[in-house]
Structure formats: structure tokens, C-alpha cells
Amino acid sequence: MDFEVLRLFKSMVLNDFDVCQPNEYIFATVLSSCSNVGYLSSGRQCHGYVLKSGLVFHQYVKNALVRLYSMLSDVVGAMEVLVSVPGSDMCTYNLILSGLVENSYLNEASNVLRRMCAEHLVWNKATYICSFGLCARLKHLSLGSQIHNRLLKSDVDFDVFVCSAVIDMYGKCKDISSARKVFERSQDRNVVSWTAMLSAYSQHGLLEESLKLFCNMQCEEIAPNESTFSVLLNTSARLSSLGYGYSLHALAEKKGFKGMTNRDIITWNTIICGYSHHGLGNKSLALFKEMLKTDENPNHVTFVGVLTACGHLGNVELGFYFFYHLMKQKGIEPGLEHYTCIVGLLSKAGRLNEVKDLMLSRPIKWDTVAWRTLLNACNIHRNYTLGTQIGNINLNLDPYDVGTYTLLSNMHAKANNWGGVTQIRELMKKKKIKKEPGLSWLEIKNQTHVFVSDDNGHPEFVEIHEKLKELLGKIKSLGYVPDTSNVLHDVEDEQKEDYVGYHSEKLAVAYAILRTHKDALIRIIKNLRICDDCHFTMKLISKVTNREINIRDVNRFHCFRDGSCSCEDYW
């Protein structure tokens, strides 16, 4: 229909312009069609004519122009129409406000909101939805609450769309209590309002609550849509709940969401960075090579994944090529994350002084992550002198970075510098800094089992300890010697072995072997980085039990099978 409108208008202009000149109604219709089909250039030509003819002063022509520029992301053009043409109604403001918020011109949107309030116009449903969207993007709870109060005093119908906008605003402003109250008081809830509440829980870190609410949603027979699945799958990923993720995937396919019809930059980046994040450097780079053959251009996120992959593979030359040549060729300015990847790349190669020189010479505002990357490398390559210097730099940058304290303490322990360990402990105690306890958990028959180091709290702890003792005895025959270098206590060697022998992931794998089928894959999640001793232990346990063990630590997956690990670049 829109293309037919534009065809007829073109014919009218070319053939009958002298006989039948277009009026304000025709131009309003034509501008609307230009908006719908994305013809910004044609819309601008119409804009020029209505300016010359004076038709722009008709309200519906002005609104059609604002809609054109707002829909086609020309915010400057929309603002020029708003400011230069007198007379704006509520429709004008709704269009411009929506366009500004959608295109992240939040300061300009705030100014339009103030101007709108100053003119004392009567707000409608669209006005409130746009305004709540602005508050959500700004995370401005006070303003959002004021607009909510104004809404409650107005005659505007509190339907599911307004309700969802309010819930979304409170959720993004981290007022989960108010979001839940609005949700519970809503009389007519549909998939939009349910999804808004699910998202609010997820954004607030209440991941289990989000999944429980979805169960209630299913009980009320509300069918989930694409947005619902997106929220829930992200929630499952953050919980590391693979079983729930499988169920959601199956449900999505059952509802008809099969396959991916189009791959955009976000899709490519997700897979490239996903492979890279989990240590699968070759797969990440192979996919990047495939992407370069398409019309999709890599962006800054793509190169973070690619450079990280080079780090896992220890391929310094390829990493330098991507960083110094290909990024420049693609017009991408390196940022802190890219430089941090180079720090990791060189650190793994043992080129520690080169990393230090790079960090001290570049005009980059390095963060604690970058310095901690070098500090970790100093710990692994046992360069304690440089490590102490880097640790002090990082603590000056962030005196409360628990990761730096932990690495410094481990470094002193490896060097048998117990005075240094004590000094770090006292400093942590003085600053009231506590190291996060190591936790590991796994799911068996939809039940989650959580373990802490030297755990005696599990109802089956006696049997678990016996099984672990049996496993440690078996792997010692393969040459296993406990690595006690990171034990932070000046005690006898036998006691040190006890400290590392009952780490949480070892308890978890012992329980899994006790309670799962011999052919079942063992999946364990750990909240911290797996230590050197546990990494080596898992390789040997996978060999003596003929079991496949996957451990997801804070960094990535470690896949153990038949005495080896797929992430042999672990360092």
C-alpha cells in the first residue's frame, strides 16, 4: 500500500502538478508512507516542498515530519522540526520523545519532557509509556515514581502496556518491591507484563525467583514469546543451570522457534566470544574466518573474542596481526579491553617485562583487571620480584581488590615467604576484606548439591570423604603428588596435603561418581578459579574412573577425559 501511495504521488507530480497540486492531507499521507518504507531522502524532498508552500504549519503535516525523522533515526531533523515550526500537540511530543529515547539521546529527551510539562498538555497513554521508558534508561527512580503518581491521578487506562512500562521502569531502577506490587495489582496480565516482571527479577539478580515466576506463568497458561525465552535463557546461563536451559530450548522449539534465519553481528560475536571464553581458540578463529567471508563487518567486541582466542593458543604473532593491522584496516580504534587481551597474550608467553613496559608506556587508563592479569602471570612464571611491584601498583589503584591480595598471598606462599603471607592477611583484616569461599555445585535429578572445602555439612559427607580418599589413593599410583605450593599456612607437608585434598570441586566429583551412572557426564560449577592441584587431579580421576568431567570455573570450561584436558593452555 505504501509503495502504491508513493507511485501515485510521483505520477501526480510528474504529470498533473499544474492541474492538481498536493495539499496538506496528501503530504501527510505521503510522509507517513515514506516513514513506513524507510525512504528518508524522499521524505526530505517533501519536507522542502511543504516548507516553501507553508503547508508545514498544518499540525498533521508537522507531526508526519516528526514521525518520519524519529522513525528513521534522524533525531537532529526531528528536533529541528519541533523547534522551528510553532505549535506542538501531544502527538508531536510523543513522537519526538519516543525517537530520542530509542536512539539514546537521553539528555535531549529529558529536555523535551521538561518542555512538555511546562506547556501543561494532557498526557495520554503513549506519553506515559515513553516517559517510563526514559526513566528506565536513565535509571532515574525518583522521576519514575513521580510520573507513576501522576498516572494514578489521571484518567488514563492502566492497561497491560502501561503496566509493563511501569514494571520495566521499576525493574531497571532496581526497585524490585515496587515492580512486584504493580505486577500483583494488575488485573489483566498478558505475556508482555509477565516478561517485564521476569526481566525485573533477572536484572536484580533474583534469578531463582525469575524461574519460579515462569512456572506460575505456565500455570496461568500464558504462552511465552521470543522476549520471554531470551530473559529465561540468560537467567539459566547466569545460574549455570544447563538442565533448565535444555528444557527451555525444547520448549522454544515446541512453540515453533526453530533455527536462526539471519545472523547479525550480535550472533557472530556471541559464538566467537563464547568459544574463546571457554578456551576453544581454534574454533573461535575458524568462525571468525568464516565471518570475514560474509558481508558482516567485525566490531570492537569481535576483536576482544579473537584476541582472547590468540591468547589461549599462545599465538603472539597472529594476535599482533589482528591488533596492529586488521583492526586498523577495519577502522576500529583499540580500547582498554583490546590492550588487556594483549597483556594476557604476552603474559602467557612469559614476556613479562615486555608487558610491564607496554603498560607503563601507553597512555591508557589501565584498570585492576589488566594489572591483575600481569600479576597472575608473575605468580605462574614465579617472577616474585616483578609480581610484588605489580601487586603494589594494583593495590594503589584499588586498595580493596580481593583478587590482588589473594594472588600476592599465593605468591608469598610459593616462595615460602610466610612473613609476606602474614603481612597480606593482616592488611586484609585491617581493611575488613574477606576472601570469597570456594564453592562447587552440581545438579543430580533436578536437585542442586553445594560443597565447600573440607565440607562436613553434607548429609552424606562420610561416604563422600571415603570415596575421595579412595580416588586420591588410585591416582597416587599414577604419580600424583599434591601441589601444596598455594597453601597459605606454614604447617607440616601432611597437613598441607589435607588442605588441598578436600577442595570443593574434589568433593563434588566424588559425590557425582557415587550418585550418577558410570556413563553419565559429570558437570560441576565452581565460583572461583580452579587451582593447579585440582586441575591435575581431575585429569587423573577422569583416567582412573573412565569418566568425562566438565568443570566450569569463574574463567571458563575445563573438559577432562581419559587423563587429559581440552584446555591444555591452562596456566
Side-chain angles (χ1 to χ4, degrees):
M1 181 68 74
D2 291 308
F3 288 107
E4 182 65 13
V5 168
L6 296 176
R7 188 190 67 78
L8 288 171
F9 179 70
K10 186 177 180 181
S11 175
M12 175 185 177
V13 171
L14 291 175
N15 302 319
D16 304 314
F17 192 77
D18 293 332
V19 178
C20 182
Q21 292 190 2
N23 60 17
E24 64 272 21
Y25 303 107
I26 291 175
F27 271 111
T29 304
V30 171
L31 285 166
S32 178
S33 293
C34 289
S35 304
N36 295 339
V37 299
Y39 280 15
L40 182 58
S41 178
S42 298
R44 283 177 175 152
Q45 291 176 36
C46 292
H47 186 183
Y49 182 84
V50 295
L51 274 175
K52 290 177 184 177
S53 63
L55 295 176
V56 72
F57 297 106
H58 289 275
Q59 189 66 61
Y60 29 88
V61 175
K62 177 181 178 179
N63 289 348
L65 283 169
V66 169
R67 180 174 182 266
L68 169 79
Y69 290 123
S70 297
M71 280 187 66
L72 303 184
S73 303
D74 186 351
V75 176
V76 174
M79 287 297 291
E80 283 179 357
V81 175
L82 177 72
V83 174
S84 63
V85 182
S88 297
D89 61 8
M90 206 66 252
C91 180
T92 317
Y93 280 116
N94 290 344
L95 288 167
I96 193 72
L97 191 60
S98 175
L100 290 169
V101 172
E102 236 175 78
N103 290 282
S104 299
Y105 287 85
L106 303 183
N107 288 332
E108 291 84 352
S110 299
N111 292 334
V112 168
L113 184 63
R114 291 190 194 96
R115 177 173 172 169
M116 188 171 68
C117 292
E119 293 191 16
H120 303 291
L121 297 169
V122 178
W123 291 21
N124 57 26
K125 188 194 304 182
T127 317
Y128 282 106
I129 291 173
C130 291
S131 300
F132 285 127
L134 172 61
C135 297
R137 296 287 292 274
L138 291 171
K139 293 181 172 52
H140 198 319
L141 179 60
S142 175
L143 179 60
S145 298
Q146 291 176 46
I147 294 173
H148 187 195
N149 289 334
R150 176 173 180 152
L151 169 66
L152 294 174
K153 295 174 184 176
S154 73
D155 296 327
V156 172
D157 182 26
F158 198 82
D159 65 10
V160 288
F161 299 104
V162 176
C163 173
S164 301
V166 177
I167 293 170
D168 183 64
M169 180 274 294
Y170 280 124
K172 285 187 169 66
C173 293
K174 298 185 178 180
D175 186 352
I176 200 70
S177 175
S178 295
R180 184 72 198 213
K181 284 177 184 175
V182 173
F183 177 76
E184 293 292 349
R185 291 171 183 172
S186 175
Q187 300 296 315
D188 183 23
R189 297 186 297 218
N190 68 356
V191 64
V192 179
S193 47
W194 279 94
T195 302
M197 192 64 230
L198 289 169
S199 180
Y201 273 138
S202 185
Q203 289 165 2
H204 201 62
L206 299 171
L207 307 177
E208 292 87 352
E209 289 297 322
S210 184
L211 297 182
K212 286 177 186 175
L213 186 67
F214 179 60
C215 292
N216 296 341
M217 178 179 172
Q218 288 184 299
C219 290
E220 294 198 15
E221 299 183 346
I222 304 294
N225 61 15
E226 295 93 332
S227 298
T228 316
F229 281 115
S230 177
V231 170
L232 293 169
L233 287 166
N234 278 317
T235 300
S236 300
R238 290 171 65 189
L239 281 171
S240 300
S241 180
L242 188 61
Y244 209 103
Y246 279 145
S247 299
L248 288 167
H249 186 186
L251 183 59
E253 290 197 341
K254 185 179 177 182
K255 296 291 182 183
F257 303 108
K258 292 186 178 180
M260 181 170 289
T261 54
N262 295 304
R263 295 178 179 178
D264 59 9
I265 187 62
I266 297 173
T267 310
W268 283 105
N269 286 347
T270 300
I271 304 298
I272 290 170
C273 294
Y275 277 139
S276 178
H277 184 65
H278 297 310
L280 303 172
N282 284 320
K283 286 189 175 182
S284 179
L285 293 181
L287 201 64
F288 177 60
K289 188 176 179 181
E290 185 182 336
M291 177 188 176
L292 292 177
K293 295 176 183 177
T294 70
D295 294 331
E296 199 69 61
N297 279 317
N299 62 12
H300 68 285
V301 176
T302 319
F303 279 103
V304 170
V306 168
L307 291 170
T308 303
C310 293
H312 288 316
L313 297 171
N315 196 329
V316 176
E317 288 72 22
L318 186 60
F320 276 12
Y321 168 73
F322 289 143
F323 184 76
Y324 290 108
H325 300 289
L326 193 57
M327 286 183 68
K328 186 176 181 180
Q329 182 183 324
K330 297 293 182 181
I332 297 170
E333 188 73 25
L336 174 60
E337 285 184 308
H338 303 106
Y339 277 103
T340 302
C341 290
I342 295 297
V343 168
L345 179 66
L346 291 171
S347 294
K348 187 186 174 194
R351 294 155 66 166
L352 305 184
N353 287 321
E354 192 175 338
V355 178
K356 179 188 173 185
D357 292 342
L358 171 75
M359 296 183 74
L360 293 177
S361 63
R362 296 278 177 162
I364 304 291
K365 190 176 180 180
W366 301 97
D367 61 7
T368 55
V369 175
W371 287 110
R372 203 187 313 125
T373 300
L374 177 54
L375 177 59
N376 185 48
C378 293
N379 183 30
I380 290 163
H381 293 289
R382 298 180 183 268
N383 190 334
Y384 302 136
T385 303
L386 179 60
T388 303
Q389 295 174 23
I390 301 304
N392 290 333
I393 290 173
N394 212 19
L395 289 181
N396 286 331
L397 187 63
D398 183 359
Y400 295 90
D401 182 50
V402 65
T404 301
Y405 287 105
T406 302
L407 284 169
L408 282 171
S409 189
N410 288 345
M411 203 163 58
H412 289 310
K414 279 184 178 179
N416 291 320
N417 179 12
W418 302 110
V421 173
T422 302
Q423 185 181 6
I424 294 294
R425 276 187 184 166
E426 288 176 351
L427 193 57
M428 291 177 72
K429 188 176 180 181
K430 182 180 178 181
K431 293 183 178 294
K432 297 180 180 179
I433 298 170
K434 291 186 178 179
K435 181 178 179 290
E436 185 180 0
L439 300 174
S440 295
W441 61 95
L442 72 160
E443 289 182 5
I444 298 177
K445 295 180 180 178
N446 295 324
Q447 185 175 356
T448 302
H449 299 267
V450 183
F451 300 89
V452 296
S453 295
D454 200 21
D455 188 6
N456 294 332
H458 196 281
E460 300 174 77
F461 82 90
V462 174
E463 200 173 350
I464 294 169
H465 280 231
E466 285 299 319
K467 187 63 179 178
L468 182 53
K469 193 180 292 184
E470 175 194 323
L471 291 169
L472 293 175
K474 286 182 178 180
I475 64 175
K476 279 182 179 178
S477 67
L478 298 178
Y480 168 68
V481 177
D483 181 356
T484 60
S485 60
N486 284 333
V487 175
L488 305 181
H489 302 275
D490 186 12
V491 294
E492 297 298 324
D493 288 344
E494 187 176 343
Q495 194 172 349
K496 286 184 180 181
E497 290 185 19
D498 286 339
Y499 280 125
V500 298
Y502 294 94
H503 279 183
S504 61
E505 55 267 57
K506 291 191 178 87
L507 296 171
V509 80
Y511 184 71
I513 291 169
L514 279 171
R515 293 290 173 261
T516 60
H517 189 271
K518 63 183 180 66
D519 296 324
L521 171 65
I522 297 172
R523 291 191 178 94
I524 296 169
I525 313 296
K526 183 175 173 65
N527 66 328
L528 303 176
R529 186 175 185 268
I530 186 172
C531 73
D532 297 348
D533 181 73
C534 287
H535 192 270
F536 185 53
T537 300
M538 293 301 161
K539 288 201 289 188
L540 296 179
I541 289 177
S542 73
K543 186 174 182 64
V544 298
T545 61
N546 197 28
R547 298 290 295 269
E548 186 176 348
I549 305 167
N550 285 2
I551 296 183
R552 173 70 170 92
D553 71 1
V554 71
N555 285 341
R556 62 165 184 239
F557 278 106
H558 304 269
C559 306
F560 305 94
R561 181 189 297 167
D562 195 28
S564 64
C565 178
S566 65
C567 57
E568 287 302 341
D569 65 317
Y570 172 83
W571 60 288

